[in-house]
Amino acid sequence: MPPKKRARLSAADRREQLISVAEKLFAEHGVQPTTVEDVATAAGVTKPLIYEHFGGKEGLYAVVVDRAMRQLLDHLVGSLTSGGSSREILERGAVALLSYIEEQPAAFRVLLRDSPTWHGNGSAASIMSAVAGQVEDLVIEVFKRNNLDVEVVPIYAQMLVGMIGFTGEWWIESGSSLPRDTVAAHMVNLAWYGLGGIEKDPKLKTL
């Protein structure tokens, strides 16, 4: 009895397969060392098919980054815009980011890597700026309630996002056995009580 032919993938399914394969390779080896031939071999296709779908490695990388950013923002936006107290919003945001890292480690690694010289927008910088924009609304509420200068809110939003993002990177890369919610609780502990105790007009003590 002759072996059954493998079902042929539709163009849309093939495209998704190629994106997933490329994401894994970019995360494991970096963008620059990974070639179109590497992706084609791992996906079991020919190089011309990748050029047909994406125009080359640059186009494929851009699609991988765009998908990873969209997935992360999908995780975060709901947690930051669904209401509740400032503390609750902060907790949901931390858990949402760590959930994304836990579920999509390859995508997160791609976002954290420095973008190659031919890619115009730095991926990590772009996603952090997008998330910080969402976080500003949370920080403004805290500042207004404490009669603080809202002009500096973007600084605090960037710091909060950076703290959560880099801690998340450590958590996934170090192989820490700490559960997601424990890590989130400690991040919120520092962020919240730090916000709760900030001075109205801070000065450097050593100057």
Side-chain angles (χ1 to χ4, degrees), residues 100-200:
Y100 171 79
I101 295 170
E102 196 170 41
E103 295 165 15
Q104 304 287 346
F108 186 67
R109 288 186 179 102
V110 170
L111 288 176
L112 285 178
R113 287 186 181 276
D114 290 335
S115 61
T117 54
W118 39 258
H119 191 261
N121 298 318
S123 55
S126 296
I127 192 64
M128 289 304 180
S129 292
V131 174
Q134 298 285 338
V135 171
E136 282 185 23
D137 291 338
L138 158 68
V139 182
I140 282 175
E141 181 185 333
V142 176
F143 270 52
K144 285 181 176 177
R145 191 164 59 241
N146 291 282
N147 195 29
L148 299 169
D149 181 10
V150 296
E151 186 178 357
V152 298
V153 162
I155 299 172
Y156 287 83
Q158 292 286 343
M159 288 191 292
L160 282 172
V161 170
M163 179 188 72
I164 295 173
F166 284 113
T167 304
E169 180 186 12
W170 163 82
W171 179 58
I172 197 69
E173 296 295 350
S174 69
S176 171
S177 60
L178 290 170
R180 179 201 65 192
D181 290 356
T182 298
V183 177
H186 282 281
M187 289 195 297
V188 171
N189 186 41
L190 174 60
W192 183 253
Y193 288 105
L195 281 175
I198 58 176
E199 299 174 319
K200 196 166 189 176

Side-chain angles (χ1 to χ4, degrees), residues 61-122:
Y61 174 76
V63 171
V64 168
V65 169
D66 287 344
R67 187 177 77 163
M69 290 175 67
R70 189 170 62 250
Q71 289 170 339
L72 177 50
L73 286 175
D74 286 346
H75 268 72
L76 284 171
V77 170
S79 69
L80 297 174
T81 58
S82 54
S85 68
S86 299
R87 171 71 184 246
E88 289 169 342
I89 294 169
L90 183 60
E91 288 184 359
R92 288 200 307 267
V95 170
L97 178 55
L98 292 178
S99 295
Y100 171 79
I101 295 170
E102 196 170 41
E103 295 165 15
Q104 304 287 346
F108 186 67
R109 288 186 179 102
V110 170
L111 288 176
L112 285 178
R113 287 186 181 276
D114 290 335
S115 61
T117 54
W118 39 258
H119 191 261
N121 298 318

Side-chain angles (χ1 to χ4, degrees), residues 14-15 53 161 177:
R14 177 64 74 190
R15 180 181 173 84
H53 278 280
V161 170
S177 60

Side-chain angles (χ1 to χ4, degrees), residues 24-69:
K24 184 172 183 292
L25 291 175
F26 290 152
E28 289 178 356
H29 307 295
V31 182
Q32 296 287 14
T34 302
T35 65
V36 170
E37 186 172 1
D38 293 332
V39 178
T41 300
V45 301
T46 61
K47 290 199 296 183
L49 186 63
I50 294 176
Y51 286 106
E52 178 185 331
H53 278 280
F54 305 102
K57 188 172 79 170
E58 294 88 344
L60 177 55
Y61 174 76
V63 171
V64 168
V65 169
D66 287 344
R67 187 177 77 163
M69 290 175 67

